[in-house]
């Protein structure tokens, strides 16, 4: 018996003036037993994947705004500094919190000015999920997150050609989860058509990899970090630090850009009557031959 997922079934309608966009992605692993500050967190263990949908025709404007924000954070000197790898969880470690807040505010403003769209899908790591889907480590859950993220893009895929991009960790596991999924879908659609696919890949490009020095990757990492801060404050409330509270305040400014943002607890049961399978996976249930004794 194998779990049967309820996917998004709608087929997109294509239009002539199709745009091209990149879907930059960033993963998050939340484990209350390995909280950054050393204490146990009340948050539930989960894995999420954030995607930022970026048009390809805004690069000149983006590049100017982004590096001006970086320069301001580094001190606006006339020298040409050795640019650091900019990672949200270790953002400008030699600078004050005010500098970090300002940079994150400017990242959000860039996304707003250039009309980026934000998607975030995650799943709680429950014992049943691990047992039924036979996940040996949290990274394997990214396959589920990535599939669900693509389902959330149904309307965008109907209008735009979308090329997913992931920061590489140079591992075969990551390549199998991300590039492998696209490769499998492409192979099936070429060999036997799209009728058997739950993902319409007509406008879905191959996966590309970026490095830690990608400006778009940095922006996506910052957005992922802010959304997670918002989730943390929402679940933990006033016990969160003033720093995290401020991050959540900045994250709230992303709401107009956010098309989907949810951490899902998978239900292992047949969905209720009338349930419409649209968007991310929410139900998984076994399928197999019926038996007269009802077992």
């Amino acid at each position: 018996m194998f779990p049967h997922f309820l996917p998004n079934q709608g087929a997109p309608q294509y239009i002539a003036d199709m745009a091209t966009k990149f879907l930059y992605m960033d993963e998050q692993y939340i484990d209350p037993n390995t909280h950054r500050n050393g204490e146990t967190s009340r948050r539930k263990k989960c894995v999420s994947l954030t995607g930022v949908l970026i048009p390809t025709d805004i690069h000149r404007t983006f590049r100017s705004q982004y590096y001006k924000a970086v320069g301001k954070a580094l001190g606006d000197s006339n020298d040409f500094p050795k640019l650091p790898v900019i990672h949200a969880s270790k953002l400008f470690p030699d600078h004050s919190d005010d500098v970090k807040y300002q940079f994150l505010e400017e990242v959000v403003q860039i996304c707003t000015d250039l009309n980026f769209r934000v998607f975030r899908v995650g799943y709680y790591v429950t014992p049943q999920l691990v047992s039924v889907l036979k996940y040996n480590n949290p990274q394997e859950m990214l396959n589920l997150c990535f599939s669900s993220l693509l389902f959330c893009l149904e309307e965008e895929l109907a209008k735009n050609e979308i090329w997913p991009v992931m920061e590489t960790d140079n591992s075969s596991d990551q390549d199998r989860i991300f590039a492998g999924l696209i490769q499998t879908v492409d192979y099936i659609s070429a060999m036997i058509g799209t009728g058997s696919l739950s993902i319409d890949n007509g406008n879905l490009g191959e996966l590309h990899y970026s490095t830690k020095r990608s400006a778009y990757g940095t922006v996506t990492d910052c957005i992922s970090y802010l959304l997670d801060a918002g989730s943390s404050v929402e679940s933990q409330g006033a016990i969160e630090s003033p720093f995290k509270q401020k991050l959540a305040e900045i994250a709230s400014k992303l709401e107009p850009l956010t098309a989907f943002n949810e951490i899902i607890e998978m239900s292992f049961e047949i969905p209720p009557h009338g349930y419409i399978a649209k968007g991310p996976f929410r139900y998984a249930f076994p399928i197999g031959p019926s038996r007269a004794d009802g077992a």
Side-chain angles (χ1 to χ4, degrees):
M1 299 174 72
F2 298 94
H4 173 66
F5 293 106
L6 285 185
N8 181 357
Q9 299 289 349
Q13 302 297 314
Y14 301 103
I15 58 178
D17 54 343
M18 192 167 293
T20 299
K21 298 185 178 183
F22 289 117
L23 178 72
Y24 274 79
M25 297 178 289
D26 181 78
E27 78 275 30
Q28 278 269 0
Y29 302 98
I30 302 302
D31 187 341
N33 297 318
T34 57
H35 196 255
R36 266 193 202 97
N37 296 329
E39 73 267 13
T40 299
S41 168
R42 293 192 308 176
R43 296 184 66 188
K44 296 165 65 176
K45 190 174 183 178
C46 64
V47 176
S48 65
L49 187 66
T50 296
V52 179
L53 203 57
I54 301 171
T56 58
D57 60 355
I58 51 77
H59 181 64
R60 180 177 297 185
T61 304
F62 168 82
R63 179 176 58 198
S64 175
Q65 292 185 12
Y66 172 79
Y67 283 109
K68 284 178 180 176
V70 171
K72 189 182 298 183
L74 293 177
D76 275 332
S77 69
N78 292 324
D79 300 327
F80 294 103
K82 183 178 180 181
L83 293 175
V85 170
I86 303 173
H87 195 276
S89 65
K90 298 177 181 178
L91 189 62
F92 305 121
D94 299 327
H95 293 72
S96 69
D97 286 350
D98 286 340
V99 169
K100 299 171 187 179
Y101 297 148
Q102 183 180 42
F103 178 77
L104 291 170
E105 292 265 18
E106 294 196 26
V107 164
V108 171
Q109 190 60 54
I110 290 169
C111 294
T112 301
D113 291 345
L114 299 180
N115 197 32
F116 293 177
R117 295 195 75 201
V118 176
F119 300 79
R120 177 174 176 248
V121 181
Y123 289 88
Y124 290 111
V125 184
T126 63
Q128 191 171 17
L129 182 71
V130 172
S131 173
V132 172
L133 300 184
K134 303 188 185 309
Y135 290 139
N136 296 314
N137 61 70
Q139 187 185 39
E140 293 181 352
M141 287 184 60
L142 290 174
N143 185 284
L144 179 60
C145 294
F146 186 33
S147 298
S148 286
L149 185 62
L150 293 177
F151 289 135
C152 289
L153 291 169
E154 177 191 17
E155 292 183 5
E156 288 287 345
L157 279 166
K159 300 178 294 183
N160 306 298
E161 190 175 72
I162 295 176
W163 295 78
V165 185
M166 190 70 189
E167 180 186 301
T168 183
D169 66 7
N170 297 309
S171 74
S172 59
D173 286 340
Q174 183 195 52
D175 201 42
R176 173 180 50 80
I177 290 167
F178 289 96
L181 174 63
I182 301 295
Q183 181 187 44
T184 299
V185 170
D186 285 349
Y187 179 81
I188 292 173
S189 65
M191 297 301 291
I192 62 175
T194 59
S196 62
L197 292 173
S198 54
I199 297 174
D200 190 305
N201 68 329
N203 293 327
L204 182 62
E206 282 195 324
L207 185 99
H208 288 241
Y209 286 109
S210 66
T211 74
K212 293 183 182 298
R213 292 191 177 274
S214 163
Y216 294 111
T218 295
V219 166
T220 303
D221 175 63
C222 289
I223 298 305
S224 175
Y225 182 66
L226 288 170
L227 292 178
D228 180 67
S231 296
S232 180
V233 169
E234 184 178 348
S235 65
Q236 305 228 87
I239 71 169
E240 279 290 13
S241 67
F243 181 77
K244 190 64 70 72
Q245 298 276 358
K246 179 63 177 179
L247 295 182
E249 179 186 321
I250 298 172
S252 68
K253 298 176 183 179
L254 289 166
E255 289 180 8
L257 308 179
T258 303
F260 191 89
N261 179 19
E262 186 179 352
I263 308 297
I264 298 165
E265 184 160 346
M266 183 74 82
S267 296
F268 292 89
E269 60 186 9
I270 296 175
H273 179 72
Y275 174 77
I276 298 175
K278 186 177 179 66
F281 293 122
R282 296 182 184 276
Y283 290 89
F285 54 91
I287 55 174
S290 61
R291 293 177 56 180
D293 59 7

